[in-house]
Amino acid sequence: MAFGDVPLVEVWRGGRLESLHRGHAVICDSRGVVESWGDPAAVIYPRSSCKMLQALPLLETGAGAGLWQKRLALSCASHQGAAIHTGAVSEWLAEMGLSEGDLRCGVQDPSDVAERNRLICTGDSACQLHNNCSGKHTGFLMLNKHLGGGSEYVELDHPVQKAVKAAFEEVTGEDSPGYGIDGCSAPNFATSVGGLARAMARFATATETDARGRAMVSLREAMAAHPEMVAGEGRACTELMRVMDGVAIKTGAEAVFVAMIPSKGLGVALKITDGATRASEAAIVAILSWLGVLDGQHPMALKRLGGPLTNWRGKAWGELRLAEGFC
């Protein structure tokens, strides 16, 4: 995957280049690639950036008919495990006659500071509700009830994952060359950076003319309308979506980022080769600003690109810059 990557983001300290992040970035419209840096054919694991693809069968089959927007956003989320997230997941499970024990995502300590402090003070333990993927898994469980599959819905040969793979390959326009097991135990199907951008363009240009189009519109609009459910306070996805108009974005582990831009009919996908989140956040800010859908001088943008980097005493020590030739 690293072959063909190019410099995208630089870290400068004391007037010298200290670190360099290489990667791939692709912008697609409904016809194909309109701009790229690096190799659009580079094969990656999209990780959590593709959760809206994994949620498509939930709506296309009718299993999720009538779901509230917040629950749709949660089905695409990598959340902080805050009370708003765990409470929403718990209620959703209960309405299906299920519980935390039916999840297969595993226990994860919450990233949300208030919830982490609550657990420490009360002596309670983290549970699967706190897992950043618990919303996606609750969507899997709702789909599973509709399909009548067994309890181990994360297995590759399970009807839920077969439906996910079929939708994934159809929307990326590529046969997946393989899969890896994600942090939440679900299969994560590989695709090219260009294929992932193509999928995002299809979400961006979707209309409510058929089941897939309706599902795509519902998911992208839910994400944009409820960014607090997609990630959480202090997170790039939440903070950046709040200052854009109708643009839905989503990060994934190991420095993947995607964007759906309905106003321009564009989809974006990027991958930083070394897996650095600081670089993927800077790169998505750069692309969104370059496309004119994000004010690059907004504090939420400057927080990730263009503003000073400071130490624990608040002293500026350097900055993130774009590599020459990128955006």
Side-chain angles (χ1 to χ4, degrees):
M1 185 273 295
F3 298 108
D5 60 2
V6 297
L8 296 181
V9 178
E10 301 171 345
V11 183
W12 286 74
R13 184 191 299 264
R16 289 182 173 85
L17 177 65
E18 183 174 39
S19 297
L20 175 64
H21 300 287
R22 302 174 65 91
H24 311 273
V26 181
I27 303 173
C28 282
D29 64 10
S30 60
R31 297 179 295 275
V33 176
V34 296
E35 189 66 67
S36 67
W37 299 267
D39 183 7
V43 175
I44 65 168
Y45 291 117
R47 303 298 297 274
S48 287
S49 76
C50 72
K51 283 182 176 175
M52 69 294 293
L53 286 165
Q54 294 172 308
L56 278 175
L58 173 64
L59 295 186
E60 288 182 333
T61 61
L67 272 177
W68 305 337
Q69 264 198 333
K70 282 189 176 183
R71 287 182 177 173
L72 292 178
L74 196 57
S75 73
C76 302
S78 298
H79 63 69
Q80 299 279 76
I84 63 167
H85 305 126
T86 58
V89 172
S90 183
E91 288 179 3
W92 188 1
L93 287 168
E95 287 180 15
M96 292 189 286
L98 301 173
S99 68
E100 181 265 350
D102 293 296
L103 296 169
R104 295 293 182 266
C105 51
V107 175
Q108 179 183 4
D109 289 331
S111 300
D112 180 74
V113 174
E115 179 63 6
R116 183 178 294 178
N117 289 345
R118 186 192 70 79
L119 293 177
I120 293 170
C121 292
T122 62
D124 290 343
S125 298
C127 67
Q128 293 187 99
L129 300 176
H130 293 102
N131 189 299
N132 79 96
C133 296
S134 64
K136 177 182 81 172
H137 279 247
T138 303
F140 283 164
L141 282 168
M142 178 170 265
L143 174 61
N144 191 34
K145 283 179 69 75
H146 181 78
L147 297 177
S151 62
E152 302 308 309
Y153 62 85
V154 294
E155 297 300 322
L156 185 66
D157 61 354
H158 192 280
V160 166
Q161 300 307 327
K162 287 181 178 180
V164 169
K165 183 183 181 185
F168 183 88
E169 291 183 331
E170 289 165 10
V171 179
T172 59
E174 300 176 355
D175 291 338
S176 176
Y179 72 98
I181 299 300
D182 215 334
C184 67
S185 295
N188 196 249
F189 300 104
T191 191
S192 70
V193 183
L196 189 57
R198 183 184 305 115
M200 295 305 105
R202 288 176 173 168
F203 270 87
T205 58
T207 59
E208 297 180 316
T209 54
D210 57 16
R212 174 152 292 166
R214 289 189 293 273
M216 287 179 166
V217 171
S218 294
L219 290 167
R220 80 172 189 230
E221 289 185 349
M223 291 173 67
H226 297 283
E228 75 285 355
M229 303 305 290
V230 175
E233 300 307 318
R235 295 276 300 283
C237 291
T238 295
E239 293 185 339
L240 294 175
M241 280 195 283
R242 281 174 174 163
V243 300
M244 294 187 288
D245 184 15
V247 177
I249 64 174
K250 183 71 184 68
T251 191
E254 300 300 326
V256 184
F257 230 119
V258 300
M260 297 161 272
I261 310 173
S263 64
K264 294 183 177 290
L266 297 175
V268 178
L270 67 89
K271 161 69 178 177
I272 301 298
T273 308
D274 63 17
T277 298
R278 68 178 180 184
S280 64
E281 292 181 356
I284 197 67
V285 165
I287 292 174
L288 294 170
S289 302
W290 187 64
L291 291 172
V293 295
L294 173 66
D295 177 4
Q297 296 305 303
H298 192 283
M300 292 300 101
L302 291 173
K303 180 178 177 179
R304 291 158 178 98
L305 178 66
L309 298 173
T310 58
N311 65 15
W312 296 112
R313 294 183 64 196
K315 297 183 67 173
W317 60 261
E319 63 178 334
L320 290 179
R321 298 182 191 173
L322 300 183
E324 184 177 355
F326 179 42
C327 290

